[in-house]
Each structure stands twice: as structure tokens, then as C-alpha cells.
Amino acid sequence: MMQCLIRKLAALSQYEEVLAKISSTSTDRLTVLKTKPQSIQRDIITVCNDPYTLAQQLTHIELERLNYIGPEEFVQAFVQKDPLDNDKSCYSERKKTRNLEAYVEWFNRLSYLVATEICMPVKKKHRARMIEYFIDVARECFNIGNFNSLMAIISGMNMSPVSRLKKTWAKVKTAKFDILEHQMDPSSNFYNYRTALRGAAQRSLTAHSSREKIVIPFFSLLIKDIYFLNEG
């Protein structure tokens, strides 16, 4: 048991060091991106032209990052104040919720990546191709059961720099995107999404392969649900 715990803590420590490096180098990468000539910048389709493969890789990242969030981080995220002392929490020491926060930040980074990749091409037809590519990636995420990446991609495509590209969107076949947006529609407290999530959870229970067992919920909504359950 001790050996297992030591391995787990060592892996966690290594993961947190990687997170720190990512945070410290993100500004430098942005500077490089801005200074690189357009001709030598590689878009996501050049790196991975198969939407299914990218959806799989996003799912691997999601599962890895979820794996490092300990239950104590949820406890600390919703820690309540001591009713007798407004400045003192019920716990003497609040452990940092860095892994939970990093996972939420991953959602934002993916959204901005999608928006950046769509806006980067100069020509409308290239932007339209990029939009259709991410629609296919989002659909594959839905099929896998990766709802967090799905929502991040939809959020990126709904950002104002992307949504205002009317002439670009006119070149896109939006039927598949409309279906995905309908599935993740926030009305009625995300009723459509919750129905799809229950279906994915049911499939997971009767799955014969590891791929069919994957269910990654929309994390921000999960946090919200846990918060209100805790408050209740």
C-alpha cells in the first residue's frame, strides 16, 4: 500500500511540475506565434488531419487531467466558513486546488485554440474548412462520450471573433453543428445534455470495450451541480 501511495504521489508531483512549466512558458509561446511569419505557422489540420484521431487525443488529455484531481480538492473548493468566525474556515489549512483549477483552465485553453485556429487563415474557404474540421472533431467527441471537449469546441466556435465571420459561415454546412449545439443547449438546465449523459453512462455500464466505457462530463456544470448539492 505504501509503495502504491508513493508511486501515486510521485506521479502527482511530476504532473504538477509540468503544469507549472506550461503556465510559465505560455506567454513565451504566444510571443513566438505572433513573431512567426504566416508561411511557417502550422495549423491543426497539418498536424492532424483526421478529426477522429484528434478527438481521441483530446480524450486522453481529459482522462489524464481528471485522474489527478483528488476528492479532497472538491472538499476544499466548497469549504464553508466557520459560522462563529467569518475570517476562519472550518479547516485549519486549505490545500490548494491547483489540479481542479488546471482542469477548468484546460477547457478555456481548448476553446481559445479552436477560435485561434479558425481565425488564423486569411482566406474564407480555409476558415470554412477549419470550422467544418472542428465540427467533425466535436461530433467524434460526442460519439466517444467526451462531453467536456465537445463543449469547449462549441464554446470556441461561438466566441465573437468566430461567430461574426458571416461570409465564412455562409460557406459551411452547419447541419451537424446545429445538432451538436442542440445537444448542449443550456435551456431547461441542460436537459438535452443531461439526457445524453445518462445515455452515455448507461452505455458505459454494459460496455464490452474500454472505448465504450468512457464518459467525461461537462466539468463546469458538474462543479455547479456538486456545489448546489453541497449547499442543499
Side-chain angles (χ1 to χ4, degrees):
M1 188 186 292
M2 283 298 294
Q3 287 177 340
C4 182
L5 180 60
I6 289 168
R7 281 198 301 270
K8 179 75 175 176
L9 290 173
L12 179 62
S13 178
Q14 189 176 7
Y15 171 72
E16 289 177 352
E17 285 176 13
V18 170
L19 285 182
K21 281 183 182 177
I22 289 172
S23 299
S24 63
T25 58
S26 58
T27 307
D28 297 335
R29 286 176 182 171
L30 183 61
T31 305
V32 170
L33 181 66
K34 286 178 177 177
T35 55
K36 264 188 177 182
Q38 186 76 29
S39 58
I40 62 170
Q41 288 178 10
R42 293 202 303 166
D43 61 32
I44 195 75
I45 297 177
T46 307
V47 177
C48 177
N49 63 1
D50 179 19
Y52 176 65
T53 302
L54 181 58
Q56 280 187 318
Q57 293 305 310
L58 290 175
T59 304
H60 282 304
I61 294 170
E62 296 274 0
L63 291 171
E64 180 187 43
R65 293 192 172 223
L66 268 173
N67 184 51
Y68 286 110
I69 301 174
E72 75 285 352
E73 293 201 35
F74 287 95
V75 174
Q76 294 295 341
F78 303 130
V79 65
Q80 295 188 2
K81 299 292 182 182
D82 188 329
L84 299 177
D85 187 349
N86 292 331
D87 297 323
K88 184 181 177 185
S89 72
C90 296
Y91 299 88
S92 57
E93 292 182 11
R94 289 192 64 177
K95 181 184 180 299
K96 289 184 179 179
T97 56
R98 64 169 72 91
N99 297 322
L100 192 152
E101 290 166 7
Y103 188 55
V104 173
E105 180 59 25
W106 152 251
F107 178 96
N108 297 329
R109 290 182 68 208
L110 180 54
S111 294
Y112 281 115
L113 171 69
V114 171
T116 302
E117 289 288 341
I118 291 171
C119 293
M120 203 179 292
V122 177
K123 293 183 179 180
K124 288 193 290 289
K125 65 177 182 180
H126 292 161
R127 291 198 295 266
R129 179 171 171 242
M130 191 66 71
I131 289 173
E132 289 178 344
Y133 173 81
F134 277 115
I135 290 172
D136 288 337
V137 174
R139 187 178 61 170
E140 293 298 345
C141 285
F142 179 83
N143 292 338
I144 291 171
N146 180 358
F147 296 103
N148 200 56
S149 290
L150 166 62
M151 183 56 94
I153 292 169
I154 291 175
S155 297
M157 295 173 78
N158 281 327
M159 286 182 179
S160 57
V162 179
S163 61
R164 68 180 177 80
L165 301 171
K166 304 298 182 186
K167 291 180 180 178
T168 300
W169 281 97
K171 294 179 174 289
V172 177
K173 295 175 183 176
T174 58
K176 288 184 286 188
F177 184 62
D178 293 339
I179 292 169
L180 292 171
E181 274 202 310
H182 177 71
Q183 288 290 346
M184 306 304 283
D185 183 6
S187 62
S188 301
N189 194 19
F190 288 90
Y191 176 80
N192 294 337
Y193 157 70
R194 292 180 190 279
T195 303
L197 183 65
R198 282 195 297 271
Q202 192 62 42
R203 179 191 67 188
S204 176
L205 292 173
T206 58
H208 298 293
S209 67
S210 57
R211 182 188 180 281
E212 292 175 327
K213 290 180 181 178
I214 296 171
V215 183
I216 303 172
F218 173 31
F219 193 67
S220 295
L221 186 60
L222 176 67
I223 292 284
K224 178 184 166 186
D225 288 346
I226 293 173
Y227 175 78
F228 284 113
L229 282 169
N230 182 54
E231 287 294 296

